[in-house]
Amino acid sequence: LSKTGQAIDALVVVNALGREYKTQVKVNKLAHAKFEESYIWSDIWLTESEFAMSFIEFELQAAAAFWRNEVVGVAKVQLAMVRKRSNHTYN
């Protein structure tokens, strides 16, 4: 929901290691929007210590056609924590 309680056109911007990926826009969402997309940056090589210190950031945005998107929320997850999870997923 927007700050005014209206439905939003939701998208997620994923940032990691100076890279960015944007999901497809989910139109007119009032509550939960399911993002089941996958993306791989296969050209990134990290040492174990670099990997242990790196984060992936997820930014939920309300898309806007004529002005800047509104940030609804942000979450960061350490890459090492994702690796430790079964199937390397974080719910």
Side-chain angles (χ1 to χ4, degrees):
L1 290 173
S2 70
K3 291 178 183 177
T4 61
Q6 302 296 315
I8 64 170
D9 295 339
L11 73 138
V12 174
V13 178
V14 182
N15 290 293
L17 305 163
R19 306 287 181 92
E20 181 177 279
Y21 171 75
K22 292 182 182 179
T23 65
Q24 294 181 359
V25 175
K26 307 294 182 184
V27 179
N28 205 28
K29 293 298 177 181
L30 286 171
H32 299 283
K34 204 171 199 180
F35 294 92
E36 294 183 323
E37 298 178 32
S38 63
Y39 188 81
I40 297 174
W41 288 297
S42 59
D43 60 333
I44 296 176
W45 299 99
L46 299 172
T47 64
E48 282 296 319
S49 61
E50 289 171 327
F51 189 86
M53 295 183 294
S54 297
F55 288 83
I56 187 166
E57 178 184 88
F58 302 91
E59 185 176 277
L60 178 62
Q61 298 182 355
F66 299 109
W67 53 89
R68 189 178 187 138
N69 292 350
E70 178 184 345
V71 176
V72 177
V74 178
K76 288 185 179 181
V77 179
Q78 191 174 14
L79 291 179
M81 296 305 293
V82 176
R83 177 188 275 174
K84 292 178 183 179
R85 305 282 298 205
S86 62
N87 295 331
H88 305 297
T89 60
Y90 208 88
N91 301 347

